[in-house]
Amino acid sequence: IFFVVEADTCKPSGKLKGKKPPPGKCNQENDSDCCIEGKFYTTYKCSPPVSSHTKAKLTINRFEPGGDGGGRSECDNHYHSDDDPVVALSTGWFNHKKRCLKYINIHGNGKSVKAKVVDECDSTMGCDSVHDYQPPCLNNIVDASKAVWKALGVPKDDWGEMDIYWSDTD
Protein backbone atom coordinates (compact mmCIF):
# COMPACT_ATOMS: atom_id res chain seq x y z
CA ILE A 1 0.00 0.00 0.00
CA PHE A 2 1.32 3.42 -1.02
CA PHE A 3 0.47 6.54 1.01
CA VAL A 4 1.15 10.09 -0.08
CA VAL A 5 1.89 12.36 2.86
CA GLU A 6 1.93 16.07 2.16
CA ALA A 7 4.72 17.13 4.50
CA ASP A 8 5.28 20.77 5.35
CA THR A 9 8.42 21.20 3.27
CA CYS A 10 8.67 24.91 3.96
CA LYS A 11 10.06 25.66 7.39
CA PRO A 12 10.55 29.16 8.85
CA SER A 13 13.91 30.72 7.92
CA GLY A 14 14.20 33.04 10.90
CA LYS A 15 12.71 35.74 13.07
CA LEU A 16 12.57 39.50 12.66
CA LYS A 17 12.20 41.86 15.62
CA GLY A 18 9.55 44.50 15.12
CA LYS A 19 10.37 48.19 15.35
CA LYS A 20 7.89 50.93 16.12
CA PRO A 21 6.88 52.78 12.93
CA PRO A 22 7.55 56.54 12.87
CA PRO A 23 4.34 58.56 13.46
CA GLY A 24 1.98 58.35 10.47
CA LYS A 25 4.27 56.04 8.49
CA CYS A 26 2.34 52.76 8.67
CA ASN A 27 -0.56 52.66 6.20
CA GLN A 28 -3.39 50.72 7.86
CA GLU A 29 -5.68 50.74 4.82
CA ASN A 30 -7.46 47.37 4.35
CA ASP A 31 -6.79 46.59 8.02
CA SER A 32 -3.06 46.22 7.35
CA ASP A 33 -1.03 45.39 10.44
CA CYS A 34 1.72 47.69 11.63
CA CYS A 35 4.83 46.24 13.21
CA ILE A 36 4.81 46.08 17.00
CA GLU A 37 7.99 47.09 18.76
CA GLY A 38 9.77 44.09 20.28
CA LYS A 39 7.41 41.48 18.76
CA PHE A 40 9.12 38.70 16.84
CA TYR A 41 7.80 37.91 13.36
CA THR A 42 8.51 34.63 11.56
CA THR A 43 10.23 34.92 8.18
CA TYR A 44 10.20 32.45 5.26
CA LYS A 45 12.41 32.11 2.19
CA CYS A 46 10.08 29.41 0.79
CA SER A 47 6.39 28.77 0.19
CA PRO A 48 4.44 25.49 0.10
CA PRO A 49 4.83 23.47 -3.13
CA VAL A 50 2.79 24.69 -6.11
CA SER A 51 0.31 22.25 -7.63
CA SER A 52 -2.78 22.46 -9.81
CA HIS A 53 -4.70 23.11 -6.55
CA THR A 54 -2.37 25.17 -4.31
CA LYS A 55 -4.01 26.16 -1.02
CA ALA A 56 -3.47 29.81 -0.02
CA LYS A 57 -4.85 32.80 1.88
CA LEU A 58 -6.29 35.57 -0.27
CA THR A 59 -5.67 39.02 1.21
CA ILE A 60 -6.49 42.46 -0.11
CA ASN A 61 -4.02 45.08 -1.29
CA ARG A 62 -3.97 48.38 -3.16
CA PHE A 63 -1.44 48.62 -5.95
CA GLU A 64 -2.20 52.32 -6.63
CA PRO A 65 -0.05 55.30 -5.51
CA GLY A 66 -0.52 55.88 -1.77
CA GLY A 67 -2.05 52.43 -1.29
CA ASP A 68 -1.15 50.00 1.48
CA GLY A 69 0.93 48.04 -1.01
CA GLY A 70 3.72 50.58 -0.58
CA GLY A 71 5.73 51.49 -3.66
CA ARG A 72 5.61 50.51 -7.30
CA SER A 73 5.23 46.85 -8.25
CA GLU A 74 8.46 44.88 -8.36
CA CYS A 75 7.78 43.24 -11.73
CA ASP A 76 7.40 46.36 -13.86
CA ASN A 77 8.11 49.35 -11.58
CA HIS A 78 4.54 50.60 -12.15
CA TYR A 79 1.46 51.15 -10.04
CA HIS A 80 -1.67 49.20 -11.02
CA SER A 81 -5.36 50.09 -10.91
CA ASP A 82 -7.61 48.53 -8.27
CA ASP A 83 -9.88 47.70 -11.22
CA ASP A 84 -7.28 45.36 -12.75
CA PRO A 85 -7.03 41.77 -11.45
CA VAL A 86 -3.45 41.85 -10.14
CA VAL A 87 -1.72 40.06 -7.26
CA ALA A 88 1.42 39.91 -5.17
CA LEU A 89 2.67 36.44 -4.18
CA SER A 90 4.60 35.35 -1.10
CA THR A 91 8.38 35.25 -1.63
CA GLY A 92 8.66 31.52 -2.39
CA TRP A 93 5.87 31.56 -4.95
CA PHE A 94 7.12 34.83 -6.45
CA ASN A 95 10.29 32.80 -7.06
CA HIS A 96 12.86 35.51 -7.88
CA LYS A 97 10.48 37.21 -10.36
CA LYS A 98 9.93 33.98 -12.36
CA ARG A 99 6.13 34.50 -12.18
CA CYS A 100 6.35 38.22 -13.02
CA LEU A 101 3.64 39.41 -15.42
CA LYS A 102 2.36 35.83 -15.79
CA TYR A 103 -1.19 34.88 -14.93
CA ILE A 104 -2.50 32.60 -12.22
CA ASN A 105 -5.99 31.12 -11.78
CA ILE A 106 -7.59 31.84 -8.41
CA HIS A 107 -10.50 29.71 -7.17
CA GLY A 108 -12.60 30.84 -4.21
CA ASN A 109 -16.17 31.46 -3.13
CA GLY A 110 -17.35 29.03 -5.84
CA LYS A 111 -15.89 31.15 -8.65
CA SER A 112 -12.56 31.64 -10.38
CA VAL A 113 -10.61 34.55 -11.83
CA LYS A 114 -7.40 34.97 -13.79
CA ALA A 115 -4.99 37.54 -12.27
CA LYS A 116 -1.60 38.93 -13.27
CA VAL A 117 1.36 38.59 -10.88
CA VAL A 118 2.90 42.06 -10.53
CA ASP A 119 4.58 42.07 -7.12
CA GLU A 120 6.09 40.16 -4.22
CA CYS A 121 4.52 39.91 -0.79
CA ASP A 122 7.85 39.75 1.06
CA SER A 123 8.04 36.85 3.52
CA THR A 124 11.70 37.50 4.35
CA MET A 125 11.70 41.13 5.53
CA GLY A 126 9.43 43.83 6.92
CA CYS A 127 8.99 46.47 9.64
CA ASP A 128 10.91 49.08 7.61
CA SER A 129 10.12 51.94 5.24
CA VAL A 130 10.47 49.72 2.14
CA HIS A 131 7.70 47.46 3.50
CA ASP A 132 5.48 50.31 4.77
CA TYR A 133 6.32 49.29 8.38
CA GLN A 134 4.23 46.14 7.98
CA PRO A 135 5.35 42.70 9.21
CA PRO A 136 6.70 40.09 6.78
CA CYS A 137 4.03 38.27 4.76
CA LEU A 138 3.14 34.72 5.64
CA ASN A 139 4.47 32.16 3.13
CA ASN A 140 1.05 31.27 1.67
CA ILE A 141 -0.34 34.65 0.59
CA VAL A 142 -1.99 35.76 -2.65
CA ASP A 143 -2.38 39.50 -2.03
CA ALA A 144 -5.04 40.68 -4.45
CA SER A 145 -6.55 43.88 -5.86
CA LYS A 146 -10.22 44.77 -5.33
CA ALA A 147 -10.93 43.53 -8.88
CA VAL A 148 -10.02 39.97 -7.84
CA TRP A 149 -12.34 40.09 -4.81
CA LYS A 150 -15.14 41.50 -7.00
CA ALA A 151 -14.63 38.81 -9.67
CA LEU A 152 -14.89 36.11 -6.99
CA GLY A 153 -18.23 37.63 -5.96
CA VAL A 154 -17.19 38.20 -2.35
CA PRO A 155 -19.41 40.78 -0.59
CA LYS A 156 -17.39 43.90 0.26
CA ASP A 157 -18.01 43.43 4.01
CA ASP A 158 -16.18 40.09 3.78
CA TRP A 159 -13.08 41.38 1.99
CA GLY A 160 -9.84 40.91 3.89
CA GLU A 161 -8.82 37.27 4.19
CA MET A 162 -10.23 34.12 2.60
CA ASP A 163 -9.09 30.55 1.94
CA ILE A 164 -8.55 29.95 -1.77
CA TYR A 165 -6.78 27.65 -4.22
CA TRP A 166 -4.60 28.88 -7.07
CA SER A 167 -2.61 27.47 -9.97
CA ASP A 168 -0.38 28.69 -12.77
CA THR A 169 -2.17 29.20 -16.08
CA ASP A 170 -0.97 27.11 -19.01
Side-chain angles (χ1 to χ4, degrees):
I1 298 173
F2 179 68
F3 293 100
V4 177
V5 178
E6 194 174 303
D8 184 5
T9 56
C10 178
K11 303 279 185 240
S13 57
K15 295 264 185 209
L16 183 134
K17 191 173 183 181
K19 301 186 245 353
K20 187 177 181 182
K25 289 294 181 189
C26 181
N27 188 334
Q28 290 185 282
E29 181 181 30
N30 295 319
D31 294 325
S32 293
D33 289 328
C34 294
C35 289
I36 298 169
E37 189 166 6
K39 180 177 176 179
F40 283 93
Y41 297 96
T42 303
T43 57
Y44 295 88
K45 290 181 180 164
C46 57
S47 292
V50 174
S51 67
S52 59
H53 202 68
T54 309
K55 194 175 178 187
K57 286 256 183 246
L58 189 72
T59 54
I60 187 163
N61 189 17
R62 263 189 74 215
F63 296 84
E64 295 183 349
D68 57 330
R72 298 170 190 267
S73 295
E74 199 169 323
C75 290
D76 59 8
N77 200 32
H78 287 93
Y79 290 105
H80 294 270
S81 169
D82 291 335
D83 299 324
D84 292 335
V86 293
V87 298
L89 296 178
S90 293
T91 298
W93 291 337
F94 189 67
N95 195 9
H96 308 285
K97 296 190 176 184
K98 287 189 177 72
R99 284 197 170 83
C100 267
L101 307 181
K102 293 185 175 156
Y103 286 86
I104 63 169
N105 290 313
I106 299 169
H107 308 276
N109 196 41
K111 298 183 181 213
S112 66
V113 61
K114 200 163 91 167
K116 189 194 295 187
V117 177
V118 296
D119 211 349
E120 175 181 14
C121 194
D122 200 328
S123 316
T124 66
M125 299 183 349
C127 299
D128 56 17
S129 61
V130 175
H131 299 93
D132 227 8
Y133 297 97
Q134 295 173 18
C137 260
L138 295 175
N139 67 344
N140 63 340
I141 300 296
V142 175
D143 203 16
S145 65
K146 290 175 184 174
V148 170
W149 287 85
K150 283 180 187 170
L152 293 175
V154 179
K156 195 166 187 194
D157 289 348
D158 296 335
W159 291 3
E161 192 172 294
M162 181 173 82
D163 289 329
I164 55 141
Y165 290 95
W166 73 273
S167 62
D168 291 307
T169 58
D170 295 335

